[in-house]
Amino acid sequence: MDLLASLHFSLSITGPICVVLLLGIWLKQLGLLPDSFVESASRLVFQVTLPALLFLSMVRTDFSTMPSPWLILYGLLGTLTGFLVLEVLAARFIPERRQRGIFVQGSFRGNMGIMGLAYVQNAYGAEGIGAAALLVGSVTVLYNILAVITLTRSLGGNQGIKPILKGIAKNPLIIAILSALPFGLLGIELPQLVITTGNYFANMTLPLALLCTGASLNLKALRGGAMLTGWATANRLFCIPVLLVTGAWALGFSPQALGILFLISSTPTAAASYVMTRAMGGDSVLAANIIATTTLGSLISTSLGATLMNYLGLMG
């Protein structure tokens, strides 16, 4: 496949996402997406429409086409390894203790639930979302645990293991994936009424979530902490995807598995990192800076990475 065809393929993945994000920014400036709407719509996505999308994707999934369980284990071990390395580097090179956890979280915690699934859907269709759902769900659990650990270490607080476990047990995305597994594994057919109604909600997810993501970007906040923001952005968009995909390639994973792993690992920092940082009294401006730069930078880095991988025949 020639380079131009590979570039066209990558733009078909990131182009629509870029357009909707820019629309979100523009509509916010026009006053059509006020903060109150963005906050409510974001909760609706997280608690209703995204779980519906994941549930239906899992129900429809042909489990014979799922990525190897070893890929899920690899994703978990890779995330944990990256976290530990970042913790060591932060302790060594960041003198201000209260900024370490924000830097570490901004580097490893990707927005897989929205941006990652949007990338995967554009690349592989609905089948791709089903194939990625278990990997996304598993790593999301680990993200939540590690984020609390690093922020508690650097900012202090009384977050224990019980709040973490309670949050995981009540996470709508995890509940949706686990609820769908029996239907997918046993081939149980859902009534058409349930499928059609679920599709109404599922089809809302990515456009609404991306509009809210664009409207939430605060480009005026890009001040201060430039060095840490830059390093966190480089880690999130370059170092982590390159190391994860290179390791998976060396272990012999399939091209589709490599493509899914790249698309979900090249995502920008999750918006939840800002919420958690602010709630724990950390430097919320630094957290917002990392989210903004990785969100905009991801559109470029993912396009370039997908172009290269497709050109080399590594995306299936």
Side-chain angles (χ1 to χ4, degrees):
M1 184 174 291
D2 62 40
L3 191 58
L4 284 178
S6 297
L7 180 60
H8 181 268
F9 171 75
S10 70
L11 290 178
S12 71
I13 298 173
T14 58
I17 294 169
C18 180
V19 170
V20 179
L21 282 174
L22 292 175
L23 274 174
I25 297 173
W26 184 52
L27 293 174
K28 172 70 178 294
Q29 292 174 343
L30 292 178
L32 295 177
L33 292 178
D35 291 336
S36 58
F37 173 83
V38 172
E39 184 178 344
S40 298
S42 298
R43 284 203 307 270
L44 178 68
V45 167
F46 181 70
Q47 296 179 3
V48 180
T49 70
L50 184 53
L53 174 65
L54 291 176
F55 179 86
L56 291 178
S57 298
M58 290 297 296
V59 167
R60 297 181 182 128
T61 296
D62 178 359
F63 281 83
S64 65
T65 66
M66 288 285 288
S68 164
W70 293 110
L71 180 63
I72 296 174
L73 179 61
Y74 175 81
L76 293 171
L77 291 176
T79 300
L80 181 59
T81 302
F83 169 80
L84 294 174
V85 171
L86 287 165
E87 280 281 297
V88 171
L89 292 176
R92 173 71 176 82
F93 294 108
I94 301 177
E96 177 55 56
R97 180 184 182 90
R98 291 181 61 82
Q99 291 185 327
R100 293 174 186 170
I102 301 167
F103 167 81
V104 171
Q105 180 183 220
S107 296
F108 83 83
R109 190 177 188 181
N111 186 359
M112 299 183 303
I114 301 300
M115 297 288 283
L117 291 180
Y119 287 151
V120 170
Q121 176 169 292
N122 287 350
Y124 298 109
E127 176 187 331
I129 292 182
L134 278 178
L135 179 59
V136 168
S138 302
V139 177
T140 296
V141 172
L142 186 58
Y143 274 173
N144 288 321
I145 296 172
L146 298 181
V148 171
I149 290 173
T150 190
L151 289 177
T152 301
R153 276 168 49 85
S154 66
L155 299 176
N158 54 3
Q159 289 270 9
I161 190 65
K162 283 184 69 175
I164 299 174
L165 295 177
K166 185 177 180 181
I168 292 170
K170 295 172 65 176
N171 187 300
L173 310 186
I174 308 241
I175 293 172
I177 292 171
L178 293 179
S179 300
L181 280 177
F183 295 94
L185 290 171
L186 301 176
I188 301 172
E189 292 286 335
L190 287 172
Q192 190 58 43
L193 176 63
V194 175
I195 296 289
T196 303
T197 306
N199 280 330
Y200 288 154
F201 288 103
N203 292 338
M204 292 169 56
T205 302
L206 297 179
L208 184 58
L210 293 172
L211 281 174
C212 290
T213 300
S216 299
L217 289 178
N218 184 4
L219 302 182
K220 294 179 182 178
L222 290 177
R223 63 182 188 276
M227 181 68 74
L228 286 182
T229 300
W231 277 114
T233 301
N235 290 334
R236 179 67 244 144
L237 301 183
F238 179 75
C239 299
I240 289 176
V242 168
L243 292 174
L244 279 176
V245 172
T246 301
W249 172 77
L251 291 173
F253 286 107
S254 70
Q256 187 190 50
L258 292 177
I260 290 174
L261 184 64
F262 167 72
L263 291 173
I264 68 168
S265 67
S266 65
T267 52
T269 302
S273 64
Y274 171 82
V275 176
M276 188 175 291
T277 298
R278 185 168 181 173
M280 296 182 68
D283 186 347
S284 58
V285 172
L286 175 59
N289 288 350
I290 295 172
I291 292 168
T293 55
T294 55
T295 299
L296 298 176
S298 172
L299 298 169
I300 299 172
S301 61
T302 304
S303 297
L304 295 176
T307 298
L308 179 61
M309 288 187 64
N310 197 51
Y311 180 70
L312 297 175
L314 297 178
M315 285 197 67

